[in-house]
Every structure is written in C-alpha cells, then in structure tokens.
Amino acid sequence: MKKICTFTGAAMGEDPIYAECAYQLGQMIASRQLGLVYGGGKMGLMGRVADGVIEAGGHVTGIIPRFLDSVEIGHAGVTKLHIMDTMHQRKEMMYAESDAFIVLPGGLGTLDETMEIATWRQLGLHQKPIIVLNLNGYWQHLLDQIQHIIDAGFMHHGNVPHLEQADTLDEIADYLDCVANGSMATATVNAVTSG
Ligand code: AMP
C-alpha cells in the first residue's frame, strides 16, 4: 500500500475551510486505498485528516513522541500508533514510512517537518514528492520566500524542483489518482521553481 504523509497544524486555524479541507483530504486518501502517515494526534487539522481516513475505513499510521502523547492526545482510532522517544525519531519514521508528502496549513511544527524533508530532497537523500497545498493562498508567503531564495542565489535546483505546489484539493485528487494507479509522477502539480 502506498502511504501519503500529511504535515499540518495541531490547531484548527481560524477559517473553517481548513478543517473541511483536512477532512476531505483524509477521505480522498482512503477512497483510493492509500494509507495515511501522520503525527498521531487527534488535535487540530492533523486530527481531522486522520478522522477523514478512519471514517472512510482507511489505514492510518500515527507516529507520536512519548512526551506529546498526552498533550496532543494520541488518536485512539488509528490503525497503528507508534510512540517514539524523541521528535527526531518521530520525523525519521514518518519520512521512512511514506511515499509522498502533502502539506496543509499549519504552524512552526508543520514548517519544520516540511523544510527538513525538502532539505533532504535537495541533498539527494530521497526523491519523494512534497506537495504544498496553497489553500486560499495560505502558503503564499512561504512560496514567495522560496522564490526569493532562488532569485538571490541560495538555492540551486537546476532542473530538479524540491517542492511541488497545488492550489486546490481537486489538483490533489488528480495527484492521488496517479499515485493510486501506480505512478508517483507529479505531472498534475506544479514545481515550485523558476530558472
Ligand atoms: P504545528 O504546525 O506547530 O501546529 O505542529 C504540527 C505538528 O508538528 C504537531 O504534530 C507537532 O507535534 C509537530 N511539531 C511541533 N513543533 C515541532 C518541532 N519543533 N519539530 C518538529 N515537529 C514539531
């Protein structure tokens, strides 16, 4: 089973559209017989993605560090909950278990997870797709900053992008169709790059 990892907030955010989108993403993952890998909590958007998968009968792997298990309250409905000793072990396992990454709105934890896996891709340690869902422009400042980094000569991607961008859940649905059909191609989403 191909597994999709989501990075997203342990908060819900102000706009209810974020929670709705998170839940729908979970349902889309399950309906394509893909598995979810995520941070294991039941709080915020991360919990809503897991709810969406679970309520559609899908497979969820939650990976949570022991000290957060009580704070983020490990999700009781997940198929498998791994309790790790440290945050770094948690991230390592999330990365190892997953075939692709989808980034929804979130805070510093989401940024940290996204930047680390993108950096590893930049270093050639993996080639797994990392798709930033720029829902209602939520990640526009980050995408602009990445473009600024490229323009200022601090990121040399050549012809190989390190992140992909989707603007709508429909684009994510098309992408997940590709994954479910055995293609990990990112043809349905745009690379975050310029020259
Ligand atoms: P946030 O985006 O800040 O709401 O956090 C989302 C997820 O990232 C949660 O599962 C947090 O446990 C995790 N997280 C928070 N802070 C960090 C951090 N410094 N490094 C890695 N993960 C974090």
Side-chain angles (χ1 to χ4, degrees), residues 8-11 46 68 72 87 90-91 106-110 112-113:
T8 189
M46 59 194 285
L68 276 184
E72 288 188 351
M87 291 295 268
R90 174 207 222 177
K91 287 196 288 185
L108 290 182
T110 303
D112 172 80
E113 291 161 343

Side-chain angles (χ1 to χ4, degrees), residues 27-48:
Q27 298 246 304
M28 283 164 39
I29 289 171
S31 68
R32 288 162 177 78
Q33 273 73 52
L34 302 168
L36 171 72
V37 175
Y38 86 116
K42 71 172 190 182
M43 312 286 285
L45 298 187
M46 59 194 285
R48 290 308 286 159

